[in-house]
Amino acid sequence: MKELVLVSPAFEKEGLIPLEYTGHGADISPELQLSGIDESARSIAITMDDLDHPRPNYNHWVIWNIPVMQVIPSNIPHGETVEKLSGAVQGRGYGKHRYKGPKPPFNWSHRYQFNVFVLDSTLDIPSKSGKKELLKAMEGHTLQRAELTGYYKRSSRA
C-alpha cells in the first residue's frame, strides 16, 4: 500500500502555525494537501489535537465523511454539516462543531497534530460524537493515516 503524505502550505512539518489559523487570529482551518491516497478510499476524517495540554491529546477538531480529495480547503465553515464538503460532519471537538485553532494559555508553546484518516467507507455516527466515538467507528475501516505536527506560541503582539 502506498504511503499517505500530508502537508500544508500554511506551515512546515514541526513548524510554526501562523496566527490566522489560531484562536488568537482568524481561527480558520489551514489547507491540507494529501498525496498517495489509496484507490479504494471512500471518505476522509480529520482530528486535530493539542499534544501539550494538561489533558493528554486535547481535541480541537473532529470532522468525517469528507469526500476523497487531494486538497482539503482552508476555512472550513462552522456547523455540524459542511455543505462545502458534500455534507461532511463536524463532531464535537473543543465542545464545538467547528475547527478551534491553537490557543495555549499565557505565552506557552504547544504542539498541535493534524491526523488524516483515509477510510474505505463513510461513517454513520451522530454529529454530537467526539474523537473517542469517531476513532471507535473507524476501527476496521482505516486504509491509511498521516499526521502533520506544528507548534504555536503566542507572541506579545498577538
Side-chain angles (χ1 to χ4, degrees), residues 94-112:
Y94 207 88
K96 311 282 184 190
H97 294 282
R98 59 170 286 198
Y99 170 85
K100 190 71 178 133
K103 192 176 181 181
F106 310 110
N107 286 332
W108 297 343
S109 177
H110 281 201
R111 294 168 300 142
Y112 296 85

Side-chain angles (χ1 to χ4, degrees), residues 15-58:
L16 177 67
I17 298 172
L19 182 65
E20 71 182 295
Y21 305 105
T22 75
H24 293 123
D27 210 8
I28 62 172
S29 58
E31 179 179 304
L32 300 173
Q33 300 173 350
L34 301 168
S35 59
I37 298 172
D38 188 279
E39 292 177 7
S40 57
R42 295 294 171 256
S43 71
I44 295 172
I46 302 171
T47 64
M48 194 269 277
D49 302 307
D50 179 343
L51 301 179
D52 297 311
H53 192 278
R55 290 175 54 199
N57 297 320
Y58 189 77

Side-chain angles (χ1 to χ4, degrees), residues 108-135:
W108 297 343
S109 177
H110 281 201
R111 294 168 300 142
Y112 296 85
Q113 185 173 77
F114 291 83
N115 297 285
V116 173
F117 304 88
V118 173
L119 308 174
D120 65 2
S121 66
T122 56
L123 302 174
D124 185 21
I125 57 176
S127 62
K128 68 180 181 180
S129 300
K131 180 181 171 186
K132 181 180 176 182
E133 294 84 7
L134 174 62
L135 294 177

Side-chain angles (χ1 to χ4, degrees), residues 75-91:
N75 199 15
I76 302 298
H78 302 176
E80 295 178 31
T81 303
V82 183
E83 294 309 319
K84 176 180 178 178
L85 294 176
S86 301
V89 179
Q90 290 188 107

